[in-house]
Amino acid sequence: MLIETEPTPNPATLKFLPGRPVMTTGTRDFVDPDEASASPLAEALFSLGDVTGVFFGRDFVSVTAAEGVEWTGLKPQVLGVLLDHFSSEAPLFTGGSAAEIAIDDSDFTDDPADADIVAQIKDLIDTRVRPAVARDGGDIVYRGFQRGTVYLSMQGACSGCPSSAATLKQGIETLLKHYVPEVTEVRAA
């Protein structure tokens, strides 16, 4: 089995492509070892000690190294864990868990009067933004729309990436303002 590796815009994160689906639907972001208990793979990656984030995408796993850790030493360890997991065809999540269910913990409630605007925003995010962000090893989640402001959350390699603020402001905000005139600003949530 060959696992390809790609850099991401976040120098602390590498994207690993096992050549097979990772998540059948949605994505899953693990930001600490406690969350990783839902997944044997995420738990094994965190157990390496130098891992501070694991993200499962449709066909990739993004791994974030701790500050100051060089990928030259960590990459072979991560590849070993991934090879063991995918070769053994072990489950991605522990049995009986609701680990694949995405919970929207948003504090925002969209105004029903904005339903058409919100639908346009979500469609643009799903069709234009999410594929580009996934290529960089992450995901973007819609959190809400209030008085012209769109609230989004970056995950995976995009969370904490030095260029994520520029991506939100110069890329996503410009796109949404162009297609949805009611959008005046995009903010990280």
Side-chain angles (χ1 to χ4, degrees):
M1 169 178 212
L2 173 68
I3 296 179
E4 294 181 43
T5 306
E6 293 180 358
T8 70
N10 183 346
T13 305
L14 282 180
K15 181 177 172 182
F16 296 86
L17 298 117
R20 62 179 65 176
V22 175
M23 293 280 292
T24 54
T25 59
T27 59
R28 182 66 199 266
D29 196 20
F30 300 94
V31 297
D32 62 45
D34 291 337
E35 288 183 10
S37 64
S39 167
L41 176 56
E43 204 166 34
L45 290 166
F46 273 104
S47 75
L48 295 174
D50 292 328
V51 172
T52 60
V54 175
F55 180 80
F56 298 154
R58 184 178 55 80
D59 61 352
F60 66 89
V61 176
S62 291
V63 178
T64 303
E67 189 174 330
V69 172
E70 293 294 324
W71 272 108
T72 52
L74 183 58
K75 184 177 172 182
Q77 295 175 42
V78 170
L79 283 169
V81 168
L82 293 172
L83 281 168
D84 288 347
H85 175 82
F86 288 108
S87 295
S88 70
E89 297 187 14
L92 192 59
F93 295 102
T94 55
S97 77
E100 285 194 81
I101 299 173
I103 305 296
D104 182 8
D105 58 352
S106 175
D107 293 333
F108 303 100
T109 303
D110 292 327
D111 183 341
D114 294 330
D116 289 342
I117 296 167
V118 169
Q120 287 179 304
I121 292 167
K122 286 181 175 181
D123 182 60
L124 285 166
I125 290 168
D126 287 343
T127 60
R128 294 280 193 80
V129 178
R130 183 166 278 129
V133 173
R135 281 192 295 274
D136 287 342
D139 195 16
I140 189 159
V141 177
Y142 171 85
R143 293 290 184 208
F145 176 74
Q146 291 181 341
R147 295 182 297 280
T149 302
V150 177
Y151 295 91
L152 302 172
S153 175
M154 305 290 268
Q155 296 181 332
C158 300
S159 176
C161 175
S163 61
S164 66
T167 299
L168 278 175
K169 285 295 183 187
Q170 296 166 0
I172 299 166
E173 183 175 278
T174 302
L175 173 82
L176 292 178
K177 282 177 161 181
H178 177 77
Y179 288 103
V180 186
E182 293 85 356
V183 172
T184 58
E185 181 181 18
V186 172
R187 287 189 191 168

